[in-house]
């Protein structure tokens, strides 16, 4: 997906300019009441319903291939509404910059109330932006401001140096790392050093809390970044998955503890043998077992490396649950789940990519957050790489395969039909779009329709991930964007 990284995780932001303004629903709450909804991290208009932002960073905008856009759907009592959609790109009025070839606007997305006005703001990475001060592919992080009428206007927050790709996928998160009640923006420079712009932020993008850079003395490569309170001290910590330089086989899980002075130097998560716990490509942070400490959930979707021989349940991809404790994450008591685990639908096969994306939210309303994960390489019969999503249950003892559910394009009440190369489940998201207390599943499928991409959202029921008459599905035709090679559904805002 902070504060604990998200109370409810909302959907990906899909951005691209649409001619003319699109009306969005007015907020039900205003003034002091709006501030009370601030914990709903993805509520851009303060009406108490989670909104969904989904990205298409490879899409064509204004004739510029790969310029990218982000699309936003607003929640309501009846769920997400396509009638109140908004599409943002760097050609949108108020958004800094202009659409250019291969800028990849929307390469990463987060949500947070940066200016402390009670409305969630959308933080957007432009990973391949060329900036005047930074140079080629220095990258840019921008914000689009939330308000009672929805998202509008924006400001630049941070730029990188040449080839930093600041704001690229997995290299941006938001968190209050010093406990001063102001959200900070955490990015990655030189592929491994953390740069923290400390809030609060003003509407021109300036921040008054100063900056911190935490150096990594090793030649690491951050793959994903997230935040949560993993030691229960009330200050948000930052967690990453990374590999050791060019050695992609050596995936590990570092974390930086938050303190009143900012982030500490990193520590690694270790396993039962005292070695660094093998990580993966993506992660989420949240309290799965409800013990008061945020846990780390890591998806390791890429298999076939030598380290698989010494990595439990690596075949076909796995999900690891690492409990938080007063002493930090406990790798010794980690739980590992793949498609050979009891209760998990399917069979572990090389290339399934189980663990492609992991998101935490309480889908069934039992009080324990569950974990949704993509399996975009899953074959459905003779249909190769059609893709699937598996929802694993959270319990008082952590993550379990028992009672897991699977969703594909062949599942009842899911529009469409599974086709070769759809990659259903390439990105997933959980957020309560209709305010019923259940996290609803959104699925991004960037390979759908020969790379145009598509998004499905499902209303959860107490016993099912896909409730009848609760599906919203949309693509470029609904958004008014260019379909060809758009890759809609590449990622969601967290």
């Amino acid at each position: 997906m902070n504060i604990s990284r998200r109370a409810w995780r909302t959907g990906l932001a899909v951005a691209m300019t649409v001619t003319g303004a699109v009306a969005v629903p007015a907020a039900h709450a205003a003034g002091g009441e709006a501030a009370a909804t601030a914990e709903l991290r993805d509520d851009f208009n303060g009406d108490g319903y989670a909104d969904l932002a989904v990205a298409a960073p490879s899409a064509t905008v204004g004739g510029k291939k790969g310029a990218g856009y982000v699309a936003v759907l607003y929640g309501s009592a009846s769920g997400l509404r396509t009638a109140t959609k908004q599409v943002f790109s760097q050609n949108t009025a108020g958004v800094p910059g202009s659409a250019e070839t291969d800028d990849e606007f929307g390469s990463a997305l987060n949500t947070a109330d940066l200016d402390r006005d009670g409305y969630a703001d959308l933080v957007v990475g432009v990973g391949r932006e060329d900036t005047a001060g930074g140079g080629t592919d220095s990258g840019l992080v921008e914000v689009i401001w939330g308000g009672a009428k929805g998202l509008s206007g924006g400001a630049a927050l941070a730029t990188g140096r040449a080839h930093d790709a600041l704001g690229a996928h997995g290299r941006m998160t938001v968190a209050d790392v010093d406990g001063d009640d102001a959200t900070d923006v955490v990015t990655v420079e030189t592929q491994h050093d953390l740069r923290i712009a400390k809030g609060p932020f003003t509407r021109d993008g300036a921040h008054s809390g100063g900056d911190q850079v935490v150096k990594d003395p090793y030649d690491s490569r951050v793959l994903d970044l997230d935040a949560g309170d993993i030691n229960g001290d009330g200050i948000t910590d930052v967690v990453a998955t990374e590999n050791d330089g060019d050695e992609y086989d050596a995936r590990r899980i570092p974390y930086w503890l938050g303190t009143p002075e900012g982030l500490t130097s990193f520590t690694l998560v270790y396993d039962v043998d005292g070695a660094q716990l093998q990580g993966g490509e993506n992660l989420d942070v949240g309290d799965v077992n409800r013990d008061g400490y945020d846990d780390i959930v890591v998806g390791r979707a890429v298999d076939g490396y030598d380290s698989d021989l010494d990595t439990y349940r690596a075949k076909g991809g796995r999900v690891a649950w690492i409990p938080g404790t007063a002493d930090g994450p406990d790798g010794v008591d980690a739980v590992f789940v793949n498609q050979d685990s009891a209760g998990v639908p399917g069979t572990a096969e090389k290339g399934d990519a189980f663990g492609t994306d992991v998101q935490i939210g309480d889908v069934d309303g039992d009080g324990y957050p569950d974990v949704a994960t993509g399996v975009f390489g899953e074959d459905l019969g003779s249909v190769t790489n059609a893709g699937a999503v598996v929802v694993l249950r959270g319990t008082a003892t952590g993550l379990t395969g028992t009672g897991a559910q699977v969703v594909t394009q062949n599942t009842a009440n899911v529009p469409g039909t599974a086709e070769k190369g759809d990659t259903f489940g390439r990105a997933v998201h959980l957020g309560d779009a209709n305010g019923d207390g259940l996290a609803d599943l959104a699925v991004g499928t960037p390979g759908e329709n020969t790379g145009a991409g598509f998004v499905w959202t499902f209303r959860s029921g107490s016993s099912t991930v896909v409730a009848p008459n609760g599906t919203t599905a949309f693509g470029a035709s609904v958004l008014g964007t260019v379909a060809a090679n758009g890759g809609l559904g590449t990622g969601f805002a967290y």
Side-chain angles (χ1 to χ4, degrees), residues 50 171 204 274 462:
R171 296 181 183 177
D204 61 358
S462 59

Side-chain angles (χ1 to χ4, degrees), residues 169 221-225 239-244 247-254 276-284 296-303 307-308 311 314 317-320 322 336 354-358:
H169 172 73
R221 300 290 183 270
V222 170
L223 304 174
D224 199 9
L225 202 63
V239 185
T241 55
E242 65 180 23
N243 61 286
D244 186 7
E247 296 296 326
Y248 191 75
D249 209 10
R251 284 161 279 182
R252 60 192 184 189
I253 308 166
Q276 61 187 36
L277 183 69
Q278 277 286 324
E281 301 78 46
N282 66 93
L283 80 161
D284 196 7
I296 303 171
V297 176
V298 176
R300 180 189 173 99
V302 179
D303 61 349
S307 63
D308 289 357
T311 301
R318 80 173 187 188
V319 172
I322 304 163
F336 306 100
F354 182 88
T356 293
D357 193 5
V358 288

Side-chain angles (χ1 to χ4, degrees), residues 53-82:
V54 57
S58 63
T60 298
V61 179
K64 305 295 185 180
K65 294 182 179 180
Y69 69 84
V70 175
V72 177
L73 270 62
Y74 289 83
S76 71
S78 57
L80 295 169
R81 303 173 60 195
T82 58

